[in-house]
Amino acid sequence: MSARALLLACALLALSLLMPPLSWSRRSFDYLVVFDITQSMDVADYRHDGRPESRLAFARRALREALPRLPCGSRIGFAAFTEYRSLMLLAPIEVCEHYNDLLATLAQLDGRMRWAEASQVSKGIYWALRAARDLQPDPPQLVFFTDGHESPPIEGEGPEPFADLERGRVGGLVVGTGGAVPRPIPKSDASGHPRGFWSADEVTQGSDPAARNEHLSALRERHLQAVATRTGLDYLRLDESTGLSAALLEPGRARTRALPTDLGWIPLALALLLVCASPLSRALGTGWRPGRRPPATTA
Amino acid sequence: MIAGVDFLHPGLLALLPLALLPWLARRAGALPYAHIGWLPPDPLGRAAGAALRLLASLLIATLIIALASPGRPESVELRTGRGAEIQLLIDRSRSMDERMLPSDWRSLSPHEIRHQTLSRGPIKSQAARELLSSFVAQRPDDRFAVSFFSASTLHVVPFTQHDEVVQAGIAAGGIHRGLSETDVGRALISAIGRFDNRPYSGSRIILLVSDGGARLDDDTRTAIRAGLERQRIALYWIYLKGFNRPDLDTPGEASEAIPEVALHRFFERLPTPYHAYQAQSPEDLAEAVADVGRQQNHPLDFEERIPRQDFGRAFVTAGLGLAGLLLVLGRWKLEAWS
């Protein structure tokens, strides 16, 4: 190692030790994640490890798996939807520092939180958009897990978005959760114990007497796509093969914000490069080049 | 100690073989010499060369390890301090969006109070959130859980010591108006359940913040009484008294019909500690919160989180030392040759 390289390496190492964290624009993602906790979300039409899993449990799992992939500085908050409202539970917090708390909060998000039994999904999405918009100063994007099952059933297009919502002002995803085959909806009591299934006479049916199937639930994709289009959100179907993280990490959803960033690794890496460079070049280059091979010793 | 070390970028350790480079390298600036056997043996020089290579190896290895960011992972240490486990149980019914008496209500004439309250009194839920938020901020040794309740109980944050998470839970209660119904009995049972399977650590509190009462049925009363006793939980009720709402200690048989009074009397007969604070202005509320803080300063075994300790800087410093040493030795060696 030449003295000059060493001197430079020393300087770089000192720089690495002394430089303060710099404010650096980094890409991060802010989401308000809303879970539909109505009873249709208890339909177990997903499979995990060969066992059936409910829509809500699968949605929670998808988010849990996506969380560690979000870059530090990203923020996640939670809300729950039932009746006609999305109620904020946790304002967005940073994901790396609060990872364990986020998981703990996520784990307890379930049907026992239901405060009423209706399921007006479109209005729930509108309320969620409002909640995201009102989270000042940094409104997050929306991720709304739902099967789109409206109860009471809607006629035609369903309700219009609230007048105070500006289309596209809050971006995000409606995540269609559930299978294509209509299945009976499990019933549970206030403390979460299973109580059989809903029958056709127990739920509000639509006006068409021939189609009495509101007690069965499948993913109502076309309805959700329509709501998404109306509100300027994107639509994603949550299935077993594709994860959620790719959609959450889409560059278009990122926000760049200046975060204090420790860049001490840059001079450190340069110093390493310097101290390796000369032995490397001598090991590979000059040392072994046939023309420069030192004269063989005669034994 | 070594078992407790992890790396933020363990993949970079794959570069460690680079530390062998100094041993593969031929000496730079070697002079062509016809027959090496003619040179006198130089054990000192050989030793110095080996030492330099060793130092260079060490330097490279040290820098690679520093880049991989070694450290001691976040750990938990058992400490004894003063504080409590506090479950915040906050009413999220619509009546909490109403206003309470303005701070200067005492100086207002009786017929002004109503109008002034409706027009500029602070909103109950907001005043409660602000005070709870500063209460949480002032008590770093306590562990908090946050739940809201209406017809159901919305458990937001499980017990945690992370202030920011608790604050985010409290803040979430301020987004949009409350829900229509309340079931304080169910909420209390559910809140008691949050202490299940937690080791008893000294002091447990449910801090109920609500503006209304309820006449509870016998089953609910039994469940609450048994639960509080089993889990050794003290109950504090901050009653946000609305304008023209009854006092908790309204005397007489007839007042048993008032839900708030009925609830208060049930709580008073509990075998476990109970304290009620009646707050009708932000000052009352602040006083109540401060008093809860004073009451609950019992010794408490708690786990303190020790954040991850980074050893990277120590390795960079060592690298700097090694590089300096190499620089000095290299100088000396060249001088010795010339």
Side-chain angles (χ1 to χ4, degrees):
Chain A
M1 260 169 254
S2 77
R4 202 183 303 159
L6 271 172
L7 208 58
L8 197 52
C10 282
L12 285 168
L13 291 177
L15 178 65
S16 160
L17 282 173
L18 297 177
M19 77 193 252
L22 298 176
S23 179
W24 193 257
S25 331
R26 278 195 297 181
R27 215 186 251 179
S28 60
F29 300 85
D30 290 0
Y31 290 109
L32 175 65
V33 185
V34 190
F35 291 89
D36 179 344
I37 55 169
T38 59
Q39 302 206 26
S40 60
M41 288 296 280
D42 293 336
V43 173
D45 48 11
Y46 282 102
R47 295 193 81 76
H48 177 73
D49 277 347
R51 271 200 296 273
E53 191 165 62
S54 78
R55 295 171 187 173
L56 181 58
F58 193 80
R60 276 199 309 251
R61 175 190 307 288
L63 186 70
R64 197 166 56 233
E65 282 166 6
L67 267 189
R69 312 231 171 121
L70 291 173
C72 288
S74 301
R75 298 184 312 150
I76 292 285
F78 293 124
F81 158 74
T82 188
E83 197 183 9
Y84 64 94
R85 276 192 58 183
S86 295
L87 199 68
M88 174 102 63
L89 300 174
L90 189 70
I93 47 175
E94 204 274 332
V95 289
C96 290
E97 199 180 335
H98 304 301
Y99 180 66
N100 289 325
D101 289 296
L102 280 169
L103 288 190
T105 295
L106 179 62
Q108 55 175 17
L109 245 155
D110 62 28
R112 280 173 297 176
M113 287 192 181
R114 265 195 299 274
W115 54 88
E117 292 301 354
S119 172
Q120 305 183 33
V121 180
S122 326
K123 283 193 188 169
I125 293 175
Y126 305 155
W127 269 104
L129 285 167
R130 257 187 193 165
R133 179 201 64 193
D134 293 346
L135 274 170
Q136 293 298 335
D138 271 337
Q141 293 223 339
L142 195 66
V143 176
F144 198 107
F145 289 99
T146 178
D147 52 18
H149 188 118
E150 300 260 3
S151 174
I154 47 167
E155 310 288 341
E157 294 274 285
E160 280 297 308
F162 302 145
D164 61 320
L165 290 173
E166 216 175 295
R167 186 181 180 279
R169 174 149 170 215
V170 171
L173 284 168
V174 174
V175 185
T177 311
V181 184
R183 287 172 193 263
I185 304 168
K187 221 193 236 185
S188 59
D189 62 16
S191 38
H193 299 295
R195 292 276 181 272
F197 293 91
W198 289 93
S199 70
D201 299 329
E202 288 173 310
V203 302
T204 319
Q205 298 286 355
S207 52
D208 179 4
R212 280 170 56 84
N213 54 10
E214 287 299 321
H215 59 298
L216 301 175
S217 172
L219 169 59
R220 307 209 171 163
E221 201 156 43
R222 238 185 293 153
H223 172 50
L224 289 178
Q225 279 165 336
V227 176
T229 313
R230 235 179 289 160
T231 48
L233 296 170
D234 298 317
Y235 175 80
L236 174 84
R237 185 199 299 164
L238 185 65
D239 55 37
E240 284 153 31
S241 50
T242 62
L244 183 68
S245 35
L248 293 190
L249 290 171
E250 229 170 73
R253 306 193 186 288
R255 80 176 53 207
T256 35
R257 66 157 78 87
L259 294 168
T261 310
D262 188 3
L263 296 175
W265 62 273
I266 295 175
L268 177 58
L270 286 176
L272 176 65
L273 213 63
L274 263 177
V275 298
C276 287
S278 65
L280 189 66
S281 75
R282 268 183 280 132
L284 299 179
T286 42
W288 285 349
R289 217 182 309 146
R292 291 284 306 273
R293 180 172 292 177
T297 53
T298 48
Chain B
M1 271 310 282
I2 208 79
V5 170
D6 70 349
F7 294 89
L8 288 186
H9 314 290
L12 288 173
L13 294 179
L15 294 176
L16 273 178
L18 286 179
L20 296 176
L21 276 178
W23 302 95
L24 301 175
R26 308 290 164 134
R27 184 184 303 289
L31 306 167
Y33 204 77
H35 183 36
I36 205 161
W38 293 348
L39 286 171
D42 181 10
L44 196 66
R46 269 174 195 279
L52 285 179
R53 285 173 188 227
L54 189 68
L55 280 177
S57 274
L58 269 175
L59 173 60
I60 292 172
T62 307
L63 296 189
I64 290 169
I65 293 172
L67 263 183
S69 295
R72 194 171 61 181
E74 186 186 79
S75 60
V76 169
E77 254 175 47
L78 201 66
R79 296 271 177 90
T80 304
R82 304 191 85 76
E85 285 187 319
I86 303 176
Q87 159 81 56
L88 303 178
L89 187 59
I90 309 167
D91 193 343
R92 218 188 155 171
S93 63
R94 207 153 293 164
S95 58
M96 289 286 285
D97 299 338
E98 290 165 6
R99 295 172 188 273
M100 56 204 303
L101 295 180
S103 307
D104 55 350
W105 66 278
R106 274 175 240 269
S107 66
L108 301 171
S109 68
H111 60 271
E112 270 178 332
I113 288 188
R114 186 184 154 73
H115 175 71
Q116 296 282 349
T117 299
L118 294 180
S119 61
R120 63 178 178 92
I123 292 167
K124 285 190 239 172
S125 59
Q126 194 183 332
R129 274 199 318 277
E130 281 167 10
L131 275 161
L132 289 174
S133 154
S134 62
F135 176 65
V136 168
Q138 286 159 18
R139 298 181 62 91
D141 286 350
D142 290 342
R143 260 166 303 170
F144 287 94
V146 185
S147 304
F148 287 90
F149 71 99
S150 65
S152 64
T153 315
L154 302 140
H155 295 303
V156 174
V157 179
F159 279 106
T160 178
Q161 239 183 311
H162 289 167
D163 181 60
E164 269 178 75
V165 186
V166 179
Q167 300 291 3
I170 295 176
I175 302 288
H176 300 152
R177 61 172 197 252
L179 297 163
S180 51
E181 285 161 62
T182 45
D183 186 343
V184 70
R186 191 176 157 192
L188 273 172
I189 294 173
S190 183
I192 291 166
R194 307 269 280 169
F195 289 95
D196 287 347
N197 305 322
R198 287 183 66 77
Y200 185 76
S201 57
S203 184
R204 293 175 162 182
I205 301 167
I206 291 178
L207 182 58
L208 173 66
V209 181
S210 149
D211 65 343
R215 297 184 49 79
L216 305 175
D217 60 46
D218 284 342
D219 287 353
T220 311
R221 286 171 181 237
T222 312
I224 292 173
R225 188 181 298 120
L228 290 174
E229 210 171 357
R230 188 180 63 244
Q231 302 286 4
R232 293 189 269 173
I233 304 169
L235 178 64
Y236 288 75
W237 181 17
I238 297 184
Y239 167 55
L240 297 167
K241 183 173 169 299
F243 184 69
N244 269 348
R245 295 298 303 161
D247 277 341
L248 287 184
D249 40 15
T250 310
E253 268 300 293
S255 51
E256 183 77 29
I258 305 168
E260 288 81 0
V261 177
L263 188 65
H264 177 59
R265 290 190 184 165
F266 161 62
F267 287 160
E268 278 186 319
R269 289 194 296 271
L270 287 171
T272 45
Y274 164 65
H275 203 106
Y277 298 94
Q278 187 161 296
Q280 55 180 343
S281 69
E283 284 64 39
D284 296 349
L285 183 57
E287 223 168 278
V289 169
D291 198 55
V292 173
R294 276 194 296 276
Q295 298 262 335
Q296 287 299 332
N297 265 329
H298 300 304
L300 171 80
D301 294 332
F302 64 94
E303 291 170 339
E304 186 171 272
R305 264 168 207 276
I306 314 292
R308 184 175 196 280
Q309 273 180 302
D310 193 69
F311 299 152
R313 293 181 67 84
F315 277 86
V316 177
T317 313
L320 186 57
L322 284 169
L325 199 60
L326 266 172
L327 200 59
V328 172
L329 286 179
R331 280 273 148 126
W332 164 75
K333 191 186 74 175
L334 280 181
E335 274 161 19
W337 276 354
S338 56

